Each structure stands twice: as C-alpha cells, then as structure tokens.
Short mmCIF file of all heavy atoms in Angstrom, two decimals:
data_model
loop_
_atom_site.label_atom_id
_atom_site.label_comp_id
_atom_site.label_asym_id
_atom_site.label_seq_id
_atom_site.Cartn_x
_atom_site.Cartn_y
_atom_site.Cartn_z
N MET A 1 0.85 -1.17 0.00
CA MET A 1 0.00 0.00 0.00
C MET A 1 0.90 1.24 0.00
O MET A 1 1.91 1.28 0.70
CB MET A 1 -0.91 0.02 1.22
CG MET A 1 -1.79 1.26 1.25
SD MET A 1 -2.84 1.40 2.69
CE MET A 1 -4.00 0.10 2.39
N ARG A 2 0.48 2.21 -0.77
CA ARG A 2 1.20 3.49 -0.82
C ARG A 2 0.29 4.58 -0.26
O ARG A 2 -0.86 4.72 -0.67
CB ARG A 2 1.57 3.81 -2.26
CG ARG A 2 2.38 5.06 -2.39
CD ARG A 2 2.77 5.26 -3.83
NE ARG A 2 3.72 6.35 -3.93
CZ ARG A 2 4.22 6.76 -5.05
NH1 ARG A 2 3.89 6.18 -6.17
NH2 ARG A 2 5.07 7.76 -5.07
N PHE A 3 0.81 5.35 0.67
CA PHE A 3 0.08 6.41 1.36
C PHE A 3 0.81 7.72 1.08
O PHE A 3 1.98 7.85 1.41
CB PHE A 3 0.08 6.10 2.86
CG PHE A 3 -0.64 7.10 3.72
CD1 PHE A 3 -1.98 6.94 4.01
CD2 PHE A 3 0.02 8.18 4.24
CE1 PHE A 3 -2.63 7.84 4.81
CE2 PHE A 3 -0.62 9.10 5.05
CZ PHE A 3 -1.96 8.92 5.33
N THR A 4 0.11 8.70 0.46
CA THR A 4 0.74 9.97 0.11
C THR A 4 -0.09 11.11 0.67
O THR A 4 -1.29 11.18 0.41
CB THR A 4 0.84 10.12 -1.43
OG1 THR A 4 1.49 8.98 -1.97
CG2 THR A 4 1.61 11.37 -1.79
N LYS A 5 0.54 12.00 1.40
CA LYS A 5 -0.14 13.19 1.92
C LYS A 5 0.01 14.30 0.89
O LYS A 5 1.11 14.59 0.43
CB LYS A 5 0.47 13.63 3.24
CG LYS A 5 -0.27 14.83 3.84
CD LYS A 5 -0.01 14.92 5.31
CE LYS A 5 -0.63 16.10 6.02
NZ LYS A 5 -1.68 16.82 5.41
N LEU A 6 -1.10 14.90 0.52
CA LEU A 6 -1.12 15.97 -0.48
C LEU A 6 -1.70 17.23 0.15
O LEU A 6 -2.91 17.31 0.36
CB LEU A 6 -1.97 15.56 -1.69
CG LEU A 6 -1.56 14.28 -2.40
CD1 LEU A 6 -2.62 13.87 -3.40
CD2 LEU A 6 -0.23 14.49 -3.10
N GLY A 7 -0.89 18.18 0.44
CA GLY A 7 -1.38 19.44 0.99
C GLY A 7 -1.87 19.32 2.41
O GLY A 7 -1.43 18.48 3.18
N HIS A 8 -2.82 20.16 2.75
CA HIS A 8 -3.30 20.32 4.12
C HIS A 8 -3.99 19.09 4.70
O HIS A 8 -3.63 18.60 5.76
CB HIS A 8 -4.24 21.52 4.16
CG HIS A 8 -5.10 21.64 5.36
ND1 HIS A 8 -4.58 21.96 6.59
CD2 HIS A 8 -6.41 21.44 5.54
CE1 HIS A 8 -5.56 21.98 7.48
NE2 HIS A 8 -6.68 21.67 6.87
N ALA A 9 -5.02 18.59 4.01
CA ALA A 9 -5.85 17.53 4.58
C ALA A 9 -5.96 16.28 3.71
O ALA A 9 -6.48 15.27 4.16
CB ALA A 9 -7.25 18.07 4.85
N CYS A 10 -5.49 16.36 2.51
CA CYS A 10 -5.70 15.28 1.53
C CYS A 10 -4.69 14.15 1.68
O CYS A 10 -3.49 14.39 1.86
CB CYS A 10 -5.61 15.86 0.12
SG CYS A 10 -5.94 14.69 -1.19
N VAL A 11 -5.19 12.93 1.59
CA VAL A 11 -4.32 11.76 1.51
C VAL A 11 -4.78 10.89 0.33
O VAL A 11 -5.96 10.85 0.00
CB VAL A 11 -4.28 10.92 2.81
CG1 VAL A 11 -3.62 11.69 3.93
CG2 VAL A 11 -5.65 10.46 3.21
N ARG A 12 -3.82 10.22 -0.26
CA ARG A 12 -4.07 9.34 -1.40
C ARG A 12 -3.56 7.96 -1.02
O ARG A 12 -2.41 7.79 -0.66
CB ARG A 12 -3.33 9.89 -2.61
CG ARG A 12 -3.54 9.15 -3.89
CD ARG A 12 -2.77 9.87 -5.01
NE ARG A 12 -2.84 9.15 -6.23
CZ ARG A 12 -3.71 9.37 -7.21
NH1 ARG A 12 -4.59 10.34 -7.09
NH2 ARG A 12 -3.70 8.65 -8.30
N LEU A 13 -4.46 6.98 -1.11
CA LEU A 13 -4.11 5.60 -0.79
C LEU A 13 -4.16 4.79 -2.08
O LEU A 13 -5.17 4.80 -2.78
CB LEU A 13 -5.09 5.02 0.22
CG LEU A 13 -5.17 5.76 1.53
CD1 LEU A 13 -6.46 5.44 2.26
CD2 LEU A 13 -3.98 5.42 2.39
N GLU A 14 -3.08 4.08 -2.38
CA GLU A 14 -2.99 3.26 -3.58
C GLU A 14 -2.63 1.84 -3.20
O GLU A 14 -1.69 1.62 -2.44
CB GLU A 14 -1.93 3.82 -4.52
CG GLU A 14 -2.22 5.25 -4.96
CD GLU A 14 -1.11 5.83 -5.79
OE1 GLU A 14 -0.80 5.26 -6.86
OE2 GLU A 14 -0.56 6.87 -5.38
N LYS A 15 -3.40 0.90 -3.71
CA LYS A 15 -3.11 -0.51 -3.44
C LYS A 15 -3.67 -1.36 -4.58
O LYS A 15 -4.84 -1.21 -4.97
CB LYS A 15 -3.74 -0.96 -2.12
CG LYS A 15 -3.40 -2.40 -1.78
CD LYS A 15 -3.94 -2.81 -0.44
CE LYS A 15 -3.55 -4.27 -0.20
NZ LYS A 15 -4.13 -4.79 1.02
N ASP A 16 -2.85 -2.24 -5.10
CA ASP A 16 -3.25 -3.18 -6.15
C ASP A 16 -3.95 -2.49 -7.32
O ASP A 16 -4.93 -3.00 -7.86
CB ASP A 16 -4.15 -4.27 -5.57
CG ASP A 16 -3.47 -5.10 -4.49
OD1 ASP A 16 -2.23 -5.24 -4.55
OD2 ASP A 16 -4.17 -5.59 -3.58
N GLY A 17 -3.46 -1.31 -7.69
CA GLY A 17 -4.01 -0.60 -8.83
C GLY A 17 -5.25 0.23 -8.55
O GLY A 17 -5.77 0.87 -9.45
N SER A 18 -5.73 0.23 -7.32
CA SER A 18 -6.89 1.04 -6.94
C SER A 18 -6.42 2.27 -6.16
O SER A 18 -5.44 2.22 -5.43
CB SER A 18 -7.86 0.24 -6.08
OG SER A 18 -8.40 -0.82 -6.82
N VAL A 19 -7.18 3.37 -6.32
CA VAL A 19 -6.80 4.63 -5.69
C VAL A 19 -7.99 5.22 -4.95
O VAL A 19 -9.08 5.39 -5.51
CB VAL A 19 -6.30 5.66 -6.74
CG1 VAL A 19 -5.97 6.99 -6.08
CG2 VAL A 19 -5.11 5.11 -7.50
N LEU A 20 -7.78 5.52 -3.67
CA LEU A 20 -8.76 6.23 -2.84
C LEU A 20 -8.15 7.56 -2.46
O LEU A 20 -7.01 7.62 -1.97
CB LEU A 20 -9.07 5.43 -1.57
CG LEU A 20 -9.87 6.17 -0.48
CD1 LEU A 20 -11.27 6.50 -0.97
CD2 LEU A 20 -9.90 5.35 0.79
N VAL A 21 -8.90 8.65 -2.67
CA VAL A 21 -8.45 9.98 -2.27
C VAL A 21 -9.38 10.47 -1.18
O VAL A 21 -10.60 10.45 -1.32
CB VAL A 21 -8.45 10.95 -3.47
CG1 VAL A 21 -8.03 12.34 -3.03
CG2 VAL A 21 -7.53 10.44 -4.57
N VAL A 22 -8.79 10.92 -0.07
CA VAL A 22 -9.55 11.42 1.08
C VAL A 22 -9.35 12.92 1.20
O VAL A 22 -8.22 13.40 1.22
CB VAL A 22 -9.10 10.72 2.39
CG1 VAL A 22 -9.91 11.22 3.58
CG2 VAL A 22 -9.21 9.21 2.26
N ASP A 23 -10.45 13.65 1.26
CA ASP A 23 -10.47 15.11 1.47
C ASP A 23 -9.64 15.91 0.47
O ASP A 23 -8.71 16.63 0.84
CB ASP A 23 -10.03 15.44 2.90
CG ASP A 23 -11.09 15.10 3.92
OD1 ASP A 23 -12.28 15.03 3.55
OD2 ASP A 23 -10.75 14.90 5.09
N PRO A 24 -9.99 15.83 -0.83
CA PRO A 24 -9.26 16.59 -1.84
C PRO A 24 -9.70 18.05 -1.90
O PRO A 24 -10.43 18.47 -2.78
CB PRO A 24 -9.61 15.85 -3.13
CG PRO A 24 -11.01 15.37 -2.89
CD PRO A 24 -11.05 15.01 -1.43
N GLY A 25 -9.27 18.83 -0.94
CA GLY A 25 -9.71 20.22 -0.83
C GLY A 25 -8.85 21.21 -1.59
O GLY A 25 -8.04 20.85 -2.44
N ALA A 26 -9.01 22.48 -1.24
CA ALA A 26 -8.39 23.59 -1.96
C ALA A 26 -6.87 23.57 -1.94
O ALA A 26 -6.24 24.15 -2.82
CB ALA A 26 -8.89 24.91 -1.36
N PHE A 27 -6.26 22.91 -0.99
CA PHE A 27 -4.80 22.91 -0.88
C PHE A 27 -4.17 21.59 -1.32
O PHE A 27 -3.00 21.32 -1.03
CB PHE A 27 -4.39 23.21 0.57
CG PHE A 27 -5.00 24.46 1.12
CD1 PHE A 27 -5.87 24.39 2.21
CD2 PHE A 27 -4.74 25.69 0.56
CE1 PHE A 27 -6.44 25.54 2.72
CE2 PHE A 27 -5.31 26.85 1.06
CZ PHE A 27 -6.17 26.77 2.14
N SER A 28 -4.92 20.77 -2.04
CA SER A 28 -4.47 19.42 -2.40
C SER A 28 -3.62 19.36 -3.66
O SER A 28 -2.94 18.37 -3.87
CB SER A 28 -5.67 18.50 -2.59
OG SER A 28 -6.42 18.46 -1.41
N GLY A 29 -3.71 20.34 -4.51
CA GLY A 29 -2.98 20.31 -5.78
C GLY A 29 -3.88 19.85 -6.91
O GLY A 29 -4.89 19.18 -6.70
N ASP A 30 -3.50 20.21 -8.11
CA ASP A 30 -4.32 19.95 -9.30
C ASP A 30 -4.46 18.47 -9.64
O ASP A 30 -5.44 18.06 -10.24
CB ASP A 30 -3.74 20.68 -10.51
CG ASP A 30 -3.84 22.19 -10.37
OD1 ASP A 30 -4.72 22.67 -9.63
OD2 ASP A 30 -3.04 22.87 -11.02
N ASP A 31 -3.49 17.65 -9.27
CA ASP A 31 -3.51 16.25 -9.66
C ASP A 31 -4.03 15.30 -8.59
O ASP A 31 -3.94 14.09 -8.75
CB ASP A 31 -2.10 15.81 -10.07
CG ASP A 31 -1.62 16.53 -11.32
OD1 ASP A 31 -2.48 16.85 -12.17
OD2 ASP A 31 -0.42 16.76 -11.45
N ALA A 32 -4.57 15.82 -7.51
CA ALA A 32 -4.99 14.98 -6.40
C ALA A 32 -6.02 13.92 -6.82
O ALA A 32 -5.98 12.79 -6.34
CB ALA A 32 -5.56 15.83 -5.27
N LEU A 33 -6.90 14.28 -7.73
CA LEU A 33 -7.97 13.36 -8.13
C LEU A 33 -7.66 12.54 -9.37
O LEU A 33 -8.45 11.67 -9.75
CB LEU A 33 -9.27 14.15 -8.35
CG LEU A 33 -9.86 14.77 -7.09
CD1 LEU A 33 -10.99 15.73 -7.44
CD2 LEU A 33 -10.34 13.69 -6.14
N THR A 34 -6.51 12.77 -9.97
CA THR A 34 -6.13 12.05 -11.18
C THR A 34 -6.06 10.54 -10.91
O THR A 34 -5.36 10.10 -10.02
CB THR A 34 -4.77 12.54 -11.71
OG1 THR A 34 -4.88 13.93 -12.00
CG2 THR A 34 -4.37 11.79 -12.96
N GLY A 35 -6.84 9.79 -11.65
CA GLY A 35 -6.83 8.33 -11.52
C GLY A 35 -7.56 7.78 -10.32
O GLY A 35 -7.50 6.58 -10.05
N ALA A 36 -8.28 8.63 -9.58
CA ALA A 36 -8.99 8.16 -8.38
C ALA A 36 -10.15 7.24 -8.76
O ALA A 36 -10.93 7.52 -9.66
CB ALA A 36 -9.51 9.34 -7.58
N ASP A 37 -10.26 6.12 -8.04
CA ASP A 37 -11.39 5.21 -8.20
C ASP A 37 -12.52 5.58 -7.25
O ASP A 37 -13.69 5.30 -7.52
CB ASP A 37 -10.95 3.77 -7.91
CG ASP A 37 -9.93 3.29 -8.92
OD1 ASP A 37 -10.28 3.23 -10.11
OD2 ASP A 37 -8.79 3.01 -8.52
N ALA A 38 -12.15 6.19 -6.13
CA ALA A 38 -13.14 6.59 -5.12
C ALA A 38 -12.61 7.80 -4.37
O ALA A 38 -11.40 8.01 -4.27
CB ALA A 38 -13.40 5.45 -4.15
N VAL A 39 -13.55 8.60 -3.84
CA VAL A 39 -13.22 9.80 -3.08
C VAL A 39 -14.04 9.79 -1.80
O VAL A 39 -15.25 9.51 -1.84
CB VAL A 39 -13.52 11.08 -3.89
CG1 VAL A 39 -13.25 12.33 -3.06
CG2 VAL A 39 -12.73 11.11 -5.17
N LEU A 40 -13.39 10.08 -0.69
CA LEU A 40 -14.06 10.20 0.60
C LEU A 40 -13.89 11.62 1.09
O LEU A 40 -12.77 12.13 1.17
CB LEU A 40 -13.46 9.23 1.62
CG LEU A 40 -13.93 9.39 3.07
CD1 LEU A 40 -15.40 9.04 3.19
CD2 LEU A 40 -13.09 8.53 3.99
N VAL A 41 -15.01 12.29 1.38
CA VAL A 41 -14.99 13.65 1.92
C VAL A 41 -15.52 13.58 3.34
O VAL A 41 -16.66 13.16 3.55
CB VAL A 41 -15.84 14.60 1.06
CG1 VAL A 41 -15.89 15.99 1.67
CG2 VAL A 41 -15.32 14.65 -0.37
N THR A 42 -14.70 13.98 4.31
CA THR A 42 -15.10 13.85 5.71
C THR A 42 -16.06 14.94 6.16
O THR A 42 -16.88 14.71 7.03
CB THR A 42 -13.87 13.85 6.64
OG1 THR A 42 -13.16 15.08 6.48
CG2 THR A 42 -12.98 12.66 6.34
N HIS A 43 -15.94 16.13 5.56
CA HIS A 43 -16.89 17.21 5.84
C HIS A 43 -16.76 18.30 4.79
O HIS A 43 -15.79 18.33 4.04
CB HIS A 43 -16.72 17.77 7.26
CG HIS A 43 -15.38 18.35 7.56
ND1 HIS A 43 -14.27 17.57 7.82
CD2 HIS A 43 -14.97 19.63 7.64
CE1 HIS A 43 -13.23 18.35 8.06
NE2 HIS A 43 -13.62 19.60 7.94
N GLU A 44 -17.73 19.18 4.71
CA GLU A 44 -17.85 20.13 3.61
C GLU A 44 -17.20 21.48 3.90
O GLU A 44 -17.86 22.52 3.80
CB GLU A 44 -19.31 20.31 3.24
CG GLU A 44 -19.93 19.04 2.70
CD GLU A 44 -21.38 19.22 2.28
OE1 GLU A 44 -21.80 20.36 2.00
OE2 GLU A 44 -22.09 18.21 2.25
N HIS A 45 -15.93 21.50 4.23
CA HIS A 45 -15.17 22.74 4.35
C HIS A 45 -14.28 22.85 3.12
O HIS A 45 -13.86 21.83 2.56
CB HIS A 45 -14.31 22.76 5.61
CG HIS A 45 -15.09 22.91 6.86
ND1 HIS A 45 -14.54 22.71 8.10
CD2 HIS A 45 -16.38 23.26 7.10
CE1 HIS A 45 -15.44 22.92 9.04
NE2 HIS A 45 -16.57 23.24 8.44
N PHE A 46 -13.95 24.07 2.71
CA PHE A 46 -13.18 24.28 1.48
C PHE A 46 -11.83 23.57 1.49
O PHE A 46 -11.30 23.23 0.44
CB PHE A 46 -12.98 25.78 1.22
CG PHE A 46 -11.92 26.41 2.10
CD1 PHE A 46 -10.63 26.59 1.60
CD2 PHE A 46 -12.20 26.80 3.39
CE1 PHE A 46 -9.65 27.17 2.40
CE2 PHE A 46 -11.23 27.37 4.19
CZ PHE A 46 -9.94 27.55 3.69
N ASP A 47 -11.26 23.35 2.67
CA ASP A 47 -9.96 22.68 2.73
C ASP A 47 -10.08 21.16 2.64
O ASP A 47 -9.07 20.45 2.63
CB ASP A 47 -9.18 23.10 3.97
CG ASP A 47 -9.93 22.85 5.27
OD1 ASP A 47 -11.17 22.73 5.25
OD2 ASP A 47 -9.27 22.79 6.33
N HIS A 48 -11.30 20.65 2.55
CA HIS A 48 -11.55 19.21 2.42
C HIS A 48 -12.37 18.86 1.19
O HIS A 48 -12.50 17.68 0.86
CB HIS A 48 -12.28 18.69 3.67
CG HIS A 48 -11.46 18.78 4.91
ND1 HIS A 48 -10.84 17.69 5.47
CD2 HIS A 48 -11.13 19.84 5.68
CE1 HIS A 48 -10.17 18.07 6.55
NE2 HIS A 48 -10.34 19.38 6.69
N LEU A 49 -12.93 19.86 0.52
CA LEU A 49 -13.83 19.61 -0.61
C LEU A 49 -13.87 20.82 -1.54
O LEU A 49 -14.08 21.94 -1.07
CB LEU A 49 -15.24 19.33 -0.10
CG LEU A 49 -16.38 19.34 -1.11
CD1 LEU A 49 -16.26 18.15 -2.06
CD2 LEU A 49 -17.72 19.31 -0.41
N VAL A 50 -13.68 20.59 -2.83
CA VAL A 50 -13.90 21.60 -3.87
C VAL A 50 -14.89 20.97 -4.85
O VAL A 50 -14.50 20.15 -5.69
CB VAL A 50 -12.59 22.00 -4.58
CG1 VAL A 50 -12.87 23.01 -5.67
CG2 VAL A 50 -11.59 22.56 -3.57
N PRO A 51 -16.18 21.31 -4.73
CA PRO A 51 -17.21 20.64 -5.55
C PRO A 51 -16.92 20.66 -7.05
O PRO A 51 -17.13 19.66 -7.73
CB PRO A 51 -18.49 21.41 -5.21
CG PRO A 51 -18.25 21.91 -3.82
CD PRO A 51 -16.78 22.26 -3.79
N ASP A 52 -16.45 21.78 -7.58
CA ASP A 52 -16.19 21.85 -9.02
C ASP A 52 -15.09 20.87 -9.45
O ASP A 52 -15.16 20.29 -10.53
CB ASP A 52 -15.81 23.27 -9.44
CG ASP A 52 -16.99 24.23 -9.39
OD1 ASP A 52 -18.15 23.75 -9.41
OD2 ASP A 52 -16.76 25.45 -9.33
N SER A 53 -14.09 20.68 -8.61
CA SER A 53 -13.03 19.72 -8.93
C SER A 53 -13.57 18.29 -8.94
O SER A 53 -13.21 17.48 -9.80
CB SER A 53 -11.89 19.82 -7.92
OG SER A 53 -11.25 21.06 -8.04
N LEU A 54 -14.45 17.97 -7.99
CA LEU A 54 -15.06 16.64 -7.97
C LEU A 54 -15.92 16.41 -9.21
O LEU A 54 -15.87 15.34 -9.83
CB LEU A 54 -15.93 16.46 -6.73
CG LEU A 54 -15.24 16.01 -5.46
CD1 LEU A 54 -16.25 15.90 -4.33
CD2 LEU A 54 -14.51 14.70 -5.65
N ARG A 55 -16.72 17.41 -9.57
CA ARG A 55 -17.57 17.28 -10.76
C ARG A 55 -16.71 17.05 -12.00
O ARG A 55 -17.01 16.20 -12.83
CB ARG A 55 -18.43 18.53 -10.95
CG ARG A 55 -19.65 18.55 -10.10
CD ARG A 55 -20.54 19.75 -10.46
NE ARG A 55 -21.21 20.19 -9.26
CZ ARG A 55 -20.81 21.17 -8.46
NH1 ARG A 55 -19.76 21.88 -8.76
NH2 ARG A 55 -21.48 21.47 -7.37
N SER A 56 -15.66 17.83 -12.12
CA SER A 56 -14.79 17.73 -13.28
C SER A 56 -14.11 16.35 -13.35
O SER A 56 -14.07 15.71 -14.40
CB SER A 56 -13.74 18.83 -13.23
OG SER A 56 -12.88 18.74 -14.31
N ALA A 57 -13.59 15.89 -12.23
CA ALA A 57 -12.89 14.61 -12.19
C ALA A 57 -13.83 13.44 -12.47
O ALA A 57 -13.42 12.42 -13.02
CB ALA A 57 -12.21 14.41 -10.83
N SER A 58 -15.10 13.60 -12.11
CA SER A 58 -16.06 12.52 -12.32
C SER A 58 -16.68 12.55 -13.71
O SER A 58 -17.45 11.66 -14.07
CB SER A 58 -17.18 12.59 -11.27
OG SER A 58 -17.99 13.73 -11.51
N GLY A 59 -16.39 13.59 -14.47
CA GLY A 59 -16.96 13.71 -15.80
C GLY A 59 -18.34 14.32 -15.80
O GLY A 59 -19.02 14.31 -16.82
N CYS A 60 -18.77 14.87 -14.66
CA CYS A 60 -20.11 15.45 -14.55
C CYS A 60 -20.11 16.96 -14.72
O CYS A 60 -21.09 17.62 -14.43
CB CYS A 60 -20.72 15.10 -13.19
SG CYS A 60 -21.00 13.36 -12.97
N GLY A 61 -19.02 17.52 -15.15
CA GLY A 61 -18.94 18.96 -15.32
C GLY A 61 -17.84 19.31 -16.30
O GLY A 61 -17.18 18.44 -16.84
N PRO A 62 -17.63 20.61 -16.51
CA PRO A 62 -16.58 21.02 -17.45
C PRO A 62 -15.20 20.67 -16.90
O PRO A 62 -14.98 20.70 -15.68
CB PRO A 62 -16.75 22.54 -17.54
CG PRO A 62 -17.49 22.92 -16.31
CD PRO A 62 -18.33 21.74 -15.93
N PRO A 63 -14.27 20.27 -17.75
CA PRO A 63 -12.93 19.90 -17.28
C PRO A 63 -12.20 21.08 -16.65
O PRO A 63 -12.39 22.21 -17.08
CB PRO A 63 -12.22 19.42 -18.54
CG PRO A 63 -13.03 19.90 -19.67
CD PRO A 63 -14.42 20.16 -19.17
N ASN A 64 -11.40 20.79 -15.62
CA ASN A 64 -10.64 21.87 -14.98
C ASN A 64 -9.17 21.81 -15.38
O ASN A 64 -8.35 22.44 -14.78
CB ASN A 64 -10.78 21.82 -13.45
CG ASN A 64 -10.18 20.58 -12.83
OD1 ASN A 64 -9.76 19.67 -13.54
ND2 ASN A 64 -10.18 20.50 -11.52
N ARG A 65 -8.84 21.05 -16.40
CA ARG A 65 -7.45 20.95 -16.85
C ARG A 65 -7.32 21.48 -18.24
O ARG A 65 -8.12 21.44 -19.05
CB ARG A 65 -6.98 19.49 -16.80
CG ARG A 65 -6.94 19.01 -15.38
CD ARG A 65 -6.56 17.52 -15.37
NE ARG A 65 -6.50 17.04 -14.03
CZ ARG A 65 -7.54 16.66 -13.31
NH1 ARG A 65 -8.75 16.73 -13.80
NH2 ARG A 65 -7.38 16.21 -12.10
#
C-alpha cells in the first residue's frame, strides 16, 4: 500500500491498482484526483472539498485541466 499526503488535509491511498483519495480540498494540488477510483470527503469545508473539482474529475462537469 502506498500512502501519500497531499497538501493540508488530503491523503491518497494506492493498493493493487486502486486509488482512494480522502479530502481533496483547496490545498491538495491539481492532480490529487487524477486516476482516483473513489473519493471520501469527511466534511464540507473548502480545505476538504472543492465541488467543481469533484464534478470535473467525475466527468459530470466542465474539465478543470
């Protein structure tokens, strides 16, 4: 398992080709959600969640890249 801390609150867990991203907020960096299979948001503060980034990464909104 690979555990990577990204910015203030975000962590990325990778194991056997699967990726879980926890709290990809405003300080996580542009690539935090790249390749994510699942996302866990612990609460709705800007440092833990950017709704437009989630929409874009999921294909439900305009791309942010």
Side-chain angles (χ1 to χ4, degrees):
M1 179 182 289
R2 183 177 189 181
F3 180 91
T4 307
K5 183 160 178 17
L6 303 169
H8 165 71
C10 184
V11 293
R12 183 178 175 96
L13 301 160
E14 300 175 59
K15 183 176 180 185
D16 299 331
S18 295
V19 178
L20 169 66
V21 178
V22 181
D23 287 337
F27 307 117
S28 301
D30 294 335
D31 295 328
L33 293 170
T34 301
D37 295 298
V39 177
L40 172 66
V41 176
T42 60
H43 60 283
E44 295 182 23
H45 289 168
F46 77 98
D47 57 339
H48 295 257
L49 167 69
V50 178
D52 288 340
S53 294
L54 275 180
R55 279 187 212 96
S56 179
S58 69
C60 295
N64 65 353
R65 294 176 180 82

